[in-house]
Amino acid sequence: MIGVAILGSTGSIGRSTLEVLRRQRDHFRVVALTCGRNHAEFATQVEEWRPVFAGLALPGKEERWPCGPDVLIEAAAHPEAQIVVNAVVGAAGLDATLAALRAGKRVALANKESLVMAGDLVTQAACAGGGEVVPVDSEHSAVLQCVTGRDSGLGRLILTCSGGPFREWPAERVHQATVEEALHHPTWRMGQKITVDCATLVNKALELIEAHYLFRLPYDALEVVVHPQSIVHAFVEFCDGSVIAQLGFPSMELPILYALTHPARLPDAGVRRFDPVAAGPLTFEPVRREVFRALDAGIAAGRAAGTAPAVFNAANELAVAAFLDGAVPFGRISEIIDGVLQAHRPAAAATVEAVREADRWARARARELVRST
Ligand code: NAD
Ligand code: MG
């Protein structure tokens, strides 16, 4: 029985992970659960799964469980956990990713922000502690599934992108999009922050940076194509021009299960069997880069490296929160990100403190830009 710790168990990925584990009780047991909010649901989960450790990462009125950010570290380094599913949203997930890797765990990583903020530190922590990062993100899971067992000649990755709810909207209308419109993703049901990131295409920039660190490819070898049906999750091109892709109906349960079992596989009776006819016509189109400018801003931050990706991430987190609060229009998100990156002088991201400092600086700068909106 493999012990699994789930950080962020009440979120979209956290719940899907428990859904997957409910069908795999012979192979895995839940040893730790943590969540931020949603205490009522958390209580139900703890009741069902009886983990050895349960804690709340954000303080609340509850007194049943330990509270505070250290809870994430405790769960991430729990001696009975071999796999840590990091399904926390945002920069709050970084320390847990590092702690789990240093403790030699497999990190099934949904929290892409960790890798974006501190890709080199995450890689070093894995080397030092003997841990490994296995992606949960569907595009990266697709790439991993395509390259596993084919260990030479990797050339280029093309990640697919649904295009988000505003794929075909005129630029002026996108700028004024409401919160409700931004939260209406065409193919995936996810947490609010990533859903907004899909609408701005920030998510795809985060994913290119994530792919850069996971698969050790230069940015010139990483591309994006819009694929509204979300059936093909990624294309992998090898040096001889051959292309392998991974397909499936959009569901996070398959990439979650694969992150737990990689490089092996387990049968899953709960998966919707693939049917090419039901999948319908598959179409591909270029990204409208002049409308969704955050994509190129994010790629530039990735190329600049050092603290720039952490600044990109932090500016985005703050701008998205401001948008969800009604403080800025949708179009301001990418302008704020741009403004913060323009003012940033990238430094080395050699320590967690340097990354945190860049993150704080970027949030402060972004807050000023929100105020001046
Ligand atoms: P979500 O908002 O649904 O869930 C987030 C979870 O983290 C919740 O359990 C919440 O209580 C907890 N949390 C929130 N703030 C916290 C904090 N400060 N400290 C500790 N815990 C906190 O988010 P989600 O959609 O499940 O996404 C989680 C991560 O997975 C994100 O990084 C996202 O980019 C990534 N991801 C999600 C999907 C998806 O389908 N939802 C797909 C790919 C990647
Ligand atoms: Mg993804």
Side-chain angles (χ1 to χ4, degrees):
M1 290 286 265
I2 297 173
V4 181
I6 305 171
L7 316 182
S9 62
T10 55
S12 161
I13 293 289
R15 284 183 198 155
S16 297
T17 303
L18 290 173
E19 206 54 55
V20 167
L21 292 178
R22 208 170 270 127
R23 302 195 291 267
Q24 305 291 350
R25 288 189 195 261
D26 295 345
H27 301 277
F28 302 97
R29 70 191 179 100
V30 173
V31 298
L33 292 175
T34 81
C35 84
R37 293 177 191 86
N38 256 327
H39 298 176
E41 180 177 356
F42 190 66
T44 313
Q45 292 180 345
V46 171
E47 180 88 1
E48 177 183 354
W49 295 93
R50 310 242 161 227
V52 187
F53 177 82
L56 304 173
L58 296 173
K61 281 178 238 115
E62 288 288 349
E63 279 161 12
R64 267 176 286 181
W65 305 294
C67 283
D70 287 351
V71 153
L72 291 176
I73 308 298
E74 192 164 344
H78 197 282
E80 292 184 44
Q82 281 97 59
I83 303 180
V84 176
V85 178
N86 189 345
V88 170
V89 60
L94 174 61
D95 292 341
T97 296
L98 294 171
L101 292 171
R102 286 192 196 113
K105 317 288 188 194
R106 164 176 294 196
V107 176
L109 187 70
N111 180 255
K112 61 190 93 185
E113 294 91 342
S114 322
L115 204 50
V116 168
M117 293 173 76
D120 287 330
L121 293 172
V122 168
T123 309
Q124 284 162 20
C127 288
E132 63 173 341
V133 178
V134 182
V136 164
D137 219 344
S138 56
E139 298 78 0
H140 306 74
S141 175
V143 172
L144 184 65
Q145 293 179 59
C146 293
V147 301
T148 297
R150 302 184 180 95
D151 45 17
S152 67
L154 180 58
R156 187 167 63 114
L157 307 182
I158 306 172
L159 306 187
T160 58
C161 169
S162 72
F166 311 139
R167 178 172 63 91
E168 295 183 297
W169 287 25
E172 322 77 66
R173 195 171 158 216
V174 173
H175 190 89
Q176 296 303 333
T178 65
V179 169
E180 199 193 342
E181 288 164 337
L183 289 180
H184 189 80
H185 194 278
T187 49
W188 297 96
R189 293 288 157 266
M190 308 176 287
Q192 291 200 337
K193 188 260 181 185
I194 185 176
T195 304
V196 176
D197 289 351
C198 288
T200 54
L201 265 61
V202 162
N203 183 52
K204 227 27 77 170
L206 296 173
E207 291 187 352
L208 288 175
I209 300 172
E210 184 185 9
H212 167 78
Y213 288 110
L214 284 172
F215 303 107
R216 305 265 124 215
L217 286 172
Y219 287 95
D220 286 342
L222 302 173
E223 289 173 28
V224 174
V225 68
V226 172
H227 169 44
Q229 299 83 18
S230 300
I231 298 288
V232 178
H233 303 304
F235 297 98
V236 175
E237 186 183 63
F238 291 86
C239 57
D240 60 358
S242 177
V243 176
I244 297 183
Q246 190 264 343
L247 288 77
F249 290 120
S251 159
M252 288 309 294
E253 293 184 11
L254 191 148
I256 290 168
L257 177 60
Y258 188 72
L260 302 176
T261 63
H262 165 80
R265 291 182 186 273
L266 277 176
D268 183 0
V271 74
R272 181 180 170 197
R273 309 299 340 165
F274 189 60
D275 175 355
V277 176
L282 304 182
T283 60
F284 302 92
E285 55 193 68
V287 176
R288 292 195 296 154
R289 302 184 100 101
E290 69 296 348
V291 178
F292 301 102
R293 289 175 186 268
L295 176 61
D296 285 331
I299 296 171
R303 286 181 190 271
T307 48
V311 164
F312 170 69
N313 177 66
N316 176 59
E317 284 190 27
L318 195 119
V320 169
F323 168 66
L324 289 171
D325 281 348
V328 297
F330 182 80
R332 268 305 268 165
I333 297 174
S334 69
E335 293 172 4
I336 289 168
I337 293 171
D338 219 39
V340 174
L341 282 171
Q342 295 294 335
H344 180 59
R345 296 284 153 270
T351 62
V352 179
E353 197 31 56
V355 171
R356 289 274 174 224
E357 176 52 34
D359 177 282
R360 278 191 295 271
W361 175 86
R363 283 170 205 265
R365 188 90 189 97
R367 218 169 276 123
E368 286 169 26
L369 294 173
V370 168
R371 279 198 214 101
S372 68
T373 295

